[in-house]
């Protein structure tokens, strides 16, 4: 027969073990109940006369991106240009011209390579109110198929006419820089500016 002390220790151990098992079972039951809890949906309030039903928002898909192209938003004029190589990194800054603020163009590459190629290094864009066309006597003019690369760029969009102005300063001194500037100006004038849209 075990001694009374051993018997007491064994009894207390059994009771403690039973108590721990009971706590474990109860806590597991609580977790199982929490997993099975069903959240009732929140009832929707009945419509009242003071509730306004707003129309569904309209969706306009984003413009399609074409490889090698980017869009540049000219917030000064609230218009967008589509640019391609070699000016996909076209940026503009505010330039003062005849007391007005106009966009002056450059590229991030030019700025990184030539610090003096600031806004306006590739020229500027001036916006003026469009003149109403007055009727003139019609005459037969043969359309020209030759495009002069030195001809000024002008485009009328809506109520405004946009005119490109060549740069008024030189920001490069080496031949590579002059070639980069010439290619960027040609791309700006002949590719990007014709895409001006509101």
């Amino acid at each position: 027969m075990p001694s009374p002390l051993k018997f007491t220790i064994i009894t207390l151990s059994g009771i403690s073990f039973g108590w721990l098992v009971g706590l474990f079972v109860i806590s597991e039951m609580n977790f199982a109940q929490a997993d099975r809890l069903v959240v009732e949906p929140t009832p929707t309030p009945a419509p009242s006369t003071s509730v306004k039903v707003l129309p569904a928002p309209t969706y306009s898909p984003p413009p399609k991106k074409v490889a090698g192209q980017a869009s540049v938003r000219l917030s000064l004029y609230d218009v967008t240009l589509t640019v391609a190589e070699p000016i996909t990194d076209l940026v503009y800054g505010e330039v003062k011209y005849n007391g007005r603020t106009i966009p002056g163009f450059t590229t991030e590459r030019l700025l990184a390579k030539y610090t003096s190629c600031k806004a306006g290094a590739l020229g500027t864009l001036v916006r003026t109110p469009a003149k109403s066309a007055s009727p003139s006597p019609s005459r037969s003019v043969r359309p020209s198929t030759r495009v002069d690369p030195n001809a000024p760029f002008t485009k009328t969009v809506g109520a405004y006419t946009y005119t490109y102005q060549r740069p008024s300063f030189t920001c490069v001194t080496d031949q590579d820089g002059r070639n980069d500037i010439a290619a960027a100006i040609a791309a700006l004038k002949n590719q990007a500016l014709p895409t001006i849209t509101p």
Side-chain angles (χ1 to χ4, degrees), residues 65-142:
K65 292 249 182 197
V66 177
Q69 286 187 345
S71 290
V72 175
R73 185 81 180 153
L74 300 179
S75 58
L76 281 172
Y77 293 157
D78 201 24
V79 294
T80 302
L81 304 175
T82 301
V83 294
E85 284 298 332
I87 57 168
T88 52
D89 60 342
L90 183 74
V91 292
Y92 76 94
E94 295 181 354
V95 175
K96 295 293 182 189
Y97 174 77
N98 289 342
R100 294 185 295 170
T101 302
I102 61 173
F105 300 103
T106 189
T107 65
E108 292 174 356
R109 275 180 280 193
L110 284 172
L111 281 170
K113 193 171 179 182
Y114 307 99
T115 55
S116 59
C117 286
K118 58 187 182 202
L122 299 180
T124 57
L125 189 64
V126 177
R127 180 177 80 170
T128 54
K131 295 178 181 154
S132 60
S134 59
S136 61
S138 65
R139 59 181 191 173
S140 176
V141 177
R142 208 167 116 197

Side-chain angles (χ1 to χ4, degrees), residues 15-194:
I15 293 171
S16 297
F17 180 73
W19 185 72
L20 286 175
V21 168
L23 282 177
F24 178 76
V25 169
I26 289 171
S27 68
E28 283 300 310
M29 287 174 48
N30 286 340
F31 284 127
Q33 285 178 351
D35 287 343
R36 286 191 303 262
L37 284 179
V38 176
V39 177
E40 293 294 323
T42 306
T44 56
S48 67
T49 56
S50 65
V51 175
K52 287 186 178 180
V53 178
L54 299 175
T58 57
Y59 171 75
S60 57
K64 291 182 179 179
K65 292 249 182 197
V66 177
Q69 286 187 345
S71 290
V72 175
R73 185 81 180 153
L74 300 179
S75 58
L76 281 172
Y77 293 157
D78 201 24
V79 294
T80 302
L81 304 175
T82 301
V83 294
E85 284 298 332
I87 57 168
T88 52
D89 60 342
L90 183 74
V91 292
Y92 76 94
E94 295 181 354
V95 175
K96 295 293 182 189
Y97 174 77
N98 289 342
R100 294 185 295 170
T101 302
I102 61 173
F105 300 103
T106 189
T107 65
E108 292 174 356
R109 275 180 280 193
L110 284 172
L111 281 170
K113 193 171 179 182
Y114 307 99
T115 55
S116 59
C117 286
K118 58 187 182 202
L122 299 180
T124 57
L125 189 64
V126 177
R127 180 177 80 170
T128 54
K131 295 178 181 154
S132 60
S134 59
S136 61
S138 65
R139 59 181 191 173
S140 176
V141 177
R142 208 167 116 197
S144 172
T145 56
R146 185 173 167 264
V147 176
D148 181 4
N150 295 320
F153 170 84
T154 299
K155 181 177 181 180
T156 299
V157 178
Y160 296 101
T161 298
Y162 299 89
T163 306
Y164 171 74
Q165 304 287 325
R166 294 190 62 79
S168 60
F169 62 94
T170 302
C171 62
V172 295
T173 55
D174 61 334
Q175 187 59 46
D176 287 341
R178 285 192 287 277
N179 293 344
D180 290 344
I181 293 283
I185 288 174
L188 175 64
K189 184 178 163 186
N190 300 322
Q191 296 171 3
L193 292 178

